């Protein structure tokens, strides 16, 4: 089959690779759409060989392992892929889903930037999710990132009369804005860079959009809230500057949801957090059923986020676009 394969730093080639082999607990899916994720870009910059990315995808089930129940060929699905290590504390106790050393789809084993993808542990409603008719394949390939935004916002339990700031307007931040809107949050402030993303934030429902390239986001939020600050900050950028801004703009008793992936450790002053009784809350998780329902009910739209589409044959260009094009938000592979 055809697949997009890493061949060194910033080098992706479309190659012919062996077809996936069906395992007893697995399913094989013919891929219809697959997004490039920010996490893929971190690896894309490194000198790696052989990785086939792709964990945000959808498609049609074409083969089902002998031990799998409730999944049939022809089902339209999206899925999560992981392989337990089989050796750790949890695996030794038969709890592979808690494995502390899991191999992940699209990193440690081949992902969905290919004609076919193998999901090793296929359990309906747990790792494989059937799609409602209303969802297109592109929307279904957006379920994974949206599920992360939903998980993180839901963890904050924002109330309608609160004000919330989202810092970092990549895909996770932009979906967070839409999820906050679906929670009925009265005032959503969004801080980020790049014109396309700032425009998308408005389209996603942000009440105030701050261009962090030209103004200090913390000062802008304080100004907009009469120096009160916001009840909750959803930090999706993962850098020192936005963390510091989050501490400044959180009001007394407020929460900071840490969602962004930090490439570097932080230096921070605990006194600023203690003095305002701020809760720092780590967020790592997703909720696929909730994300599917948000898209099905049209409370969330993938449209403002999907900016570019490519075929598998254009894989090199697709990755260059996601990394370099200032107008790129989500770059998507579409297959027929
Ligand atoms: Zn992702
Ligand atoms: Zn394990």
């Amino acid at each position: 089959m055809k697949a997009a394969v890493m061949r060194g730093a910033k080098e992706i080639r479309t190659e012919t690779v062996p077809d996936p082999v069906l395992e007893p607990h697995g399913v094989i899916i013919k891929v219809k759409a697959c997004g490039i994720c920010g996490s893929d870009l971190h690896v894309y910059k490194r000198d790696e060989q052989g990785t086939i990315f792709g964990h945000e995808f959808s498609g049609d089930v074409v083969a089902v392992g002998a031990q799998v129940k409730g999944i049939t060929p022809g089902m339209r699905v999206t899925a999560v892929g992981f392989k337990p290590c089989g050796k750790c504390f949890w695996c030794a106790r038969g709890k592979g889903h808690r494995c502390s050393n899991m191999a992940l789809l699209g990193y440690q084993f081949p992902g969905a930037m290919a004609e076919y993808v193998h999901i090793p542990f296929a359990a309906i409603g747990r790792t494989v999710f059937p799609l409602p008719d209303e969802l297109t394949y592109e929307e279904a390939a957006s379920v994974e990132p949206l599920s992360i935004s939903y998980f993180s916002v839901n963890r904050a339990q924002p109330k309608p009369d609160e004000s919330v700031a989202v810092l970092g307007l990549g895909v996770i931040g932009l979906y967070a804005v839409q999820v906050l809107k679906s929670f009925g949050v009265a005032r959503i402030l969004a801080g980020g860079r790049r014109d396309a993303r700032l425009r998308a934030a408005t389209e996603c429902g942000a009440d105030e959009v701050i261009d962090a390239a030209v103004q200090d986001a913390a000062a802008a939020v304080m100004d907009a809230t009469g120096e009160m600050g916001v009840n909750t900050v959803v930090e999706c950028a993962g850098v020192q500057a936005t963390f510091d801004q989050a501490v400044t703009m959180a009001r007394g008793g407020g929460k900071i949801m840490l969602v962004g992936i930090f490439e570097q450790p932080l230096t921070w002053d605990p006194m600023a957090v203690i003095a305002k009784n701020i809760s720092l809350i780590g967020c790592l998780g997703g909720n696929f059923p909730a994300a599917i329902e948000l898209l099905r009910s049209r409370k969330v739209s993938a449209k403002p986020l999907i900016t570019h589409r490519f075929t598998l044959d254009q894989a090199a260009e697709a990755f260059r676009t996601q990394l370099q094009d200032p107008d790129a938000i989500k770059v998507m592979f579409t297959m027929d």
Side-chain angles (χ1 to χ4, degrees), residues 84-91 96 98-102:
C85 72
K87 293 180 203 141
C88 71
F89 174 89
W90 295 109
C91 286
R98 287 202 190 170
C99 172
S100 49
N101 196 21
M102 260 177 203

Side-chain angles (χ1 to χ4, degrees), residues 37-39 55-56 144-145 148:
C37 175
S39 312
H55 59 271
E56 306 177 357
E144 195 268 351
I148 293 169

